[in-house]
Amino acid sequence: MPMTMSRARVARRIATAAAFGGGGVGLLGVAAVGVLLTEVRLARRTVGGSSDIPPCADGRYGAAFGHRTDRPPLRLGFLGDSTAAGQGVHRPSQTPGALLASGLAALSELPVDFRNVALPGAQSDDLTRQVELMLADSAATPDVCVIMIGANDVTHRMAPAQSVRHLSEAVRRLRAAGCEVIVGTCPDLGTIEPVYQPLRWVARRLSRQLAAAQTIGVIESGGRTVSLGDLLGPEFEARPRELFGPDNYHPSAEGYATAAMAVLPTLCVSLGLWPEEERPEPARGESLLPVEQAAAEAASEGGTEVTASRAPWALLKHRRRRQLPEPEPTDPSSVTG
């Protein structure tokens, strides 16, 4: 609990600095940053990374539902970095966007038009460009957008307040355009298997602190968050060989499915499609907490949702997950832009 409260206070300072245009809030001393940079260089040689272009999953999912209703298709947008883009897998159906579009179509019984503008390697300052792309066609504004961002901000030492400011502004612009917004917060970089101490500890501390600060900024900008925690769920640390891809950095197909199952309930709740009530269930470890405390607790547990309640409170939820349907082939011609 003391560690959570400390993380909550730092997250609040970062979010406040972001809101008022302040600079970075230092989380580590100069000596620790020097160690971090040295270890990052060594880790990059070990991890490698993937230069493959992520498969394009844009198109219409659940097209068969269109013959059963006169309601228009739902529109789902994806923004963010390589995780949002689906880097590390080779089939469109394995990307998190395709998995969520297919799941959303099955649960809503409506076609879903999916569009992804995420960019591998992107930091939060690229969200301005991505939002412009997503909103360029006013006739095709998404009903809901998912953003996954933050890991590159940590590894490239972007000031946390700057990172949160860019994300918060993106959420506000999307909300102003009528989109619901769900943010998958910065994953726990301490779970990357080839990364050793002291980088593992430092990476975990930095990424969880950024995730908590992101949550505060997103909630106060009108969005919801789902903690990607120890890389999208506790299974990653326990079974890294199965849930990390060949580069030991990006998720595998099974890893992306784990992530999508964590995000799908919140995606559906935002559109009024999920049957669970918007109140805490204490038996499931859910509660109403001050925003910064909810943010800090969520950062430590993957799959945890935080949504706004009456200020200054937030609702901490552990949504029940459901198995995702197998994504069907898409109809790329059905999505414009």
Side-chain angles (χ1 to χ4, degrees):
M1 184 62 69
M3 180 64 72
T4 300
M5 295 304 294
S6 174
R7 188 179 297 126
R9 287 192 294 269
V10 175
R12 171 52 72 187
R13 290 203 301 270
I14 294 171
T16 300
F20 289 96
V25 177
L27 301 183
L28 295 173
V30 174
V33 170
V35 172
L36 173 63
L37 293 177
T38 300
E39 292 293 326
V40 164
R41 284 193 290 270
L42 293 173
R44 281 177 177 165
R45 294 176 192 169
T46 305
V47 172
S50 172
S51 59
D52 294 341
I53 298 174
C56 179
D58 288 18
R60 177 164 292 178
Y61 292 77
F65 292 116
H67 302 296
R68 307 178 192 174
T69 179
D70 294 330
R71 295 170 61 190
L74 293 173
R75 295 192 180 99
L76 169 64
F78 248 60
L79 307 89
D81 54 22
S82 57
T83 301
Q87 190 159 20
V89 295
H90 300 290
R91 296 203 299 270
S93 63
Q94 297 172 325
T95 63
L99 290 164
L100 284 172
S102 183
L104 182 59
L107 288 168
S108 67
E109 297 188 349
L110 289 170
V112 173
D113 287 343
F114 173 67
R115 186 179 180 215
N116 196 334
V117 297
L119 178 68
Q123 299 176 53
S124 291
D125 56 2
D126 190 56
L127 288 176
T128 299
R129 181 190 65 84
Q130 294 184 30
V131 169
E132 289 174 356
L133 285 174
M134 190 61 70
L135 300 180
D137 183 358
S138 60
T141 300
D143 297 292
V144 60
C145 285
V146 175
I147 303 174
M148 295 179 177
I149 200 82
N152 296 317
D153 296 4
V154 173
T155 59
H156 290 79
R157 295 196 302 153
M158 176 178 285
Q162 182 182 353
S163 175
V164 173
R165 184 161 57 250
H166 287 302
L167 176 59
S168 299
E169 177 59 27
V171 173
R172 284 193 293 270
R173 288 184 62 194
L174 291 169
R175 293 291 291 130
C179 305
E180 298 291 336
V181 182
I182 294 98
V183 174
T185 54
C186 181
D188 183 348
L189 299 179
T191 61
I192 298 174
E193 193 181 43
V195 176
Y196 305 107
Q197 300 293 7
L199 177 58
R200 183 181 292 272
W201 178 85
V202 172
R204 171 160 289 163
R205 181 182 176 188
L206 288 173
S207 51
R208 287 187 177 185
Q209 200 67 73
L210 178 58
Q214 286 178 319
T215 292
I216 296 173
V218 169
I219 295 303
E220 294 181 348
S221 299
R224 300 171 184 251
T225 63
V226 175
S227 170
L228 300 188
D230 38 356
L231 252 188
L232 316 179
E235 295 90 344
F236 277 82
E237 199 161 22
R239 298 186 292 134
R241 296 296 183 190
E242 297 174 47
L243 299 179
F244 282 110
D247 62 4
N248 288 331
Y249 185 85
H250 294 99
S252 65
E254 186 176 352
Y256 279 130
T258 300
M261 281 192 292
V263 174
L264 180 61
T266 303
L267 183 67
C268 292
V269 164
S270 72
L271 295 172
L273 302 172
W274 204 252
E276 295 183 36
E277 294 185 27
E278 292 292 85
R279 58 181 177 80
E281 297 182 38
R284 294 173 56 82
E286 301 175 349
S287 56
L288 281 171
L289 295 168
V291 173
E292 56 268 24
Q293 187 177 342
E297 292 199 12
S300 301
E301 185 174 356
T304 304
E305 176 191 321
V306 180
T307 188
S309 185
R310 183 176 299 178
W313 303 91
L315 178 59
L316 191 77
K317 291 285 289 183
H318 302 293
R319 301 281 183 188
R320 293 179 176 84
R321 303 182 189 180
R322 295 184 181 178
Q323 191 65 36
L324 293 166
E326 183 69 22
E328 63 184 65
T330 61
D331 176 8
S333 65
S334 63
V335 177
T336 59

